[in-house]
Amino acid sequence: MKLVGTIYAIIYLFLCVVMFTLPNFSHPDYSIIENSLSELGAQNTPGNWLMNLVFFLLAIVVVLLGTKKLKRFWFPLYLLYFFAFCLFFTGIFQHAPIAQVSFSMPEHITHAVFSSLTGIVFCVFCASLIPFVKRRMEKATAVLMCALAIGFSLLMFQFSEYKGVFHRLLFLFAFAWILYALVTFKLIHPKVGKPL
């Protein structure tokens, strides 16, 4: 668990570096405040491969850490697998570029579907942990993270001029919470009746 947790933490730091430094090497019109991480990894965009690599790495390490922690809890584990699957494919199918260049609309639409599914499944995953969590504080953080994910998503639609800020906050909170939850939560299996 320690090794996988350490790898996760390193990839999380890589996410932080990329989301805040890659805009300097992306399209000149890209704005950290206005544009999402998906637009950083968009089609025909300079350095897009780096943002998409982050999506791939996060998906892989979530699967590894989740498998270690949740192997006895099939429902949240399969939800986490589906979350990682959707996240992976948000990098395979890329967003439309902000530049006025040619791009594939079907690919953009597919990206939007996987991106939306990623958020929805993440919220369901947060809720799915609650029945298996022992401590009230842990239950509260799962509810809070679910509320934050929904809130940031709604804010991105309501205040699109700050989409980049809300998207970054969503990623920072969500992936930090996944690490926290999978490393520290005490889970109780209903059939065993004791912490695992």
Side-chain angles (χ1 to χ4, degrees), residues 69 125 129 141 176-187:
K69 180 72 173 187
F125 168 72
L129 282 182
T141 65
W177 179 82
I178 289 173
L179 177 61
Y180 167 73
L182 295 180
V183 169
T184 68
F185 277 17
K186 300 292 185 185
L187 303 177

Side-chain angles (χ1 to χ4, degrees), residues 11-189:
I11 293 172
Y12 181 81
L13 290 175
F14 184 49
L15 162 70
C16 296
V17 170
V18 170
M19 73 165 59
F20 291 111
T21 60
L22 184 56
N24 297 319
F25 307 97
S26 186
H27 189 273
D29 293 335
Y30 185 91
S31 167
I32 286 180
I33 294 174
E34 295 180 12
N35 298 113
S36 68
L37 297 177
S38 291
E39 290 168 307
L40 200 56
Q43 302 171 49
N44 302 314
T45 299
N48 63 347
W49 65 271
L50 195 53
M51 189 67 244
N52 293 317
L53 175 63
V54 171
F55 292 148
F56 301 151
L57 293 175
L58 285 171
I60 292 168
V61 78
V62 161
V63 167
L64 293 176
L65 192 58
T67 302
K68 285 276 188 183
K69 180 72 173 187
L70 301 172
K71 56 189 173 185
R72 300 280 300 275
F73 303 86
W74 64 268
F75 184 61
L77 179 60
Y78 290 167
L79 282 171
L80 195 65
Y81 284 166
F82 189 39
F83 165 77
F85 174 84
C86 294
L87 179 64
F88 188 89
F89 278 94
T90 59
I92 295 292
F93 298 98
Q94 299 170 7
H95 196 283
I98 60 174
Q100 298 298 314
V101 295
S102 62
F103 68 95
S104 167
M105 181 57 74
E107 182 172 348
H108 170 70
I109 293 170
T110 307
H111 170 88
V113 170
F114 278 113
S115 180
S116 298
L117 282 172
T118 301
I120 293 167
V121 176
F122 176 73
C123 291
V124 178
F125 168 72
C126 292
S128 75
L129 282 182
I130 295 171
F132 302 108
V133 172
K134 179 182 180 183
R135 297 185 290 236
R136 288 183 181 178
M137 180 58 71
E138 294 170 345
K139 292 178 185 288
T141 65
V143 172
L144 176 61
M145 192 60 247
C146 184
L148 284 175
I150 294 170
F152 284 136
S153 298
L154 293 174
L155 286 169
M156 280 190 280
F157 285 106
Q158 185 67 32
F159 303 101
S160 58
E161 64 272 24
Y162 299 107
K163 180 171 56 177
V165 174
F166 297 129
H167 202 206
R168 281 167 173 78
L169 288 173
L170 176 57
F171 263 65
L172 288 173
F173 278 105
F175 286 98
W177 179 82
I178 289 173
L179 177 61
Y180 167 73
L182 295 180
V183 169
T184 68
F185 277 17
K186 300 292 185 185
L187 303 177
I188 300 175
H189 197 283

